[in-house]
Amino acid sequence: MFGDPGGVSVTPESAMRVTAVYACVSLIAETLAALPLHVYRKEIDANGREKRVRLTDHPLYRIVHEMPVAGMTSFEWREMSLSHTALRGDSYARIVTGPDGRISELPPILPDHIEPFRDRGGRIRYRWWPDGLGPVRVLFDDEVLRIPHKMLDGVRSLSPIGTHRMTIGNSLAASQFLRSFYVNSAQPKGALMSPELLSDDAALALRKSWEDRHQGPQNAGRIAIFDGGLKWEQIGMTMDDAQYLELQKFNVADIARIYLVPPHKIGEMGAVTYSNIEHQAIEFVVDTLLRWVTRCEMRYNAYLLSAADRARGVYVAYDMKGLLRGDATARANFYRSLFYIGAMTPNEIRRAEDMNPYDGGDSYYVQGATTPIASLDGMLGIGGPGQSVDAAMQTMIEKIVSQALEGRDFDNGLNEALRTNEGGGNA
């Protein structure tokens, strides 16, 4: 489909035989398919605060959240859709409406059976072959839900597999070589060297005798006896052969770069440590998944909702809170620090966590226990004219210690010292 670099045919199907490609596509498709997908409506409460309400009774809710088409759950439908986009650059589904004009189902279309184009008026249209071979049908733009990967001309998408067929072809070729090397014994482990030229029959007889005595696990460790001048020569793996193993490791990172997936998410641990793996997991959400989420959400909202729905503030969105739960402690500390200095209100924190506001949650607070030292003068009544608060505190402490040494009660000594300093003088 995309040519054969190095004699290896690279198609979406053959590319999935590369473990790194399979892992990247599965990671993106299955992660997003597992996220809850809901229909919401923005509302303004009596106090002017914006909140969102989940519309479980909206006709589109059942389709995106439960079953877009008969025989496929929402998870399966979204997994297939995203897999098509990640492999072929596009995914398609027909938008089928019922008698009331509402969407009733979204049957998928294989990317090989449909082709986008612009008509003479510059509008997007689609040529569709229902069975892949028969007569072509032309579908209007509002009859197709398309999730494109990357477009350079506004019509055709770039296929990740087709664009990077050389990289993926190298990985397929390396895998075939290693299979031939290990399974078919492309290079023997050693050779019997004879000082005399052997006939074909003698060479075959010698090989059979050697294999019968030393091949297989039941003959492991048997002592070999050489006569007639025979010698055993070990043949090790050459550097060129060993580099194929390094090539496979490099290909994993190279394919991860195609999909902007952190290598550790597909099993290449490399420079990952336990101290930074949690932050790299957050980077995966922000740098990888967020663009896929945005790509899908904008298409869902543009093609699955009516203009009237969008005017009422209805929208479709993923719930991504679950992907960030692993860093809940860091988020809690961040919100706490901003809350205590009066930089965020409780409702602003709730909004950042996709939670609705509550009455009384728009006030700003500061940590009351944090008090300037200079204000202790008025609070404790210590410190005389020309005496610093530190000096006054030192005087009070010295009095308490001296009273304690005289056998007087510590608490009474503290109270007496405070009473003595109420007038600002020193006893």
Side-chain angles (χ1 to χ4, degrees), residues 43 88 176 217 232 237 241 251 257 271 294 350 407:
E43 293 185 355
R88 302 171 183 268
Q176 290 183 5
W232 172 261
M237 180 178 287
D241 298 329
N251 282 338
R257 279 190 288 269
T294 304
R350 292 176 64 85

Side-chain angles (χ1 to χ4, degrees), residues 242-257:
Q243 286 174 359
Y244 272 92
L245 301 178
E246 290 299 320
L247 176 62
Q248 288 291 73
K249 185 176 180 180
F250 171 79
N251 282 338
V252 171
D254 211 22
I255 291 171
R257 279 190 288 269

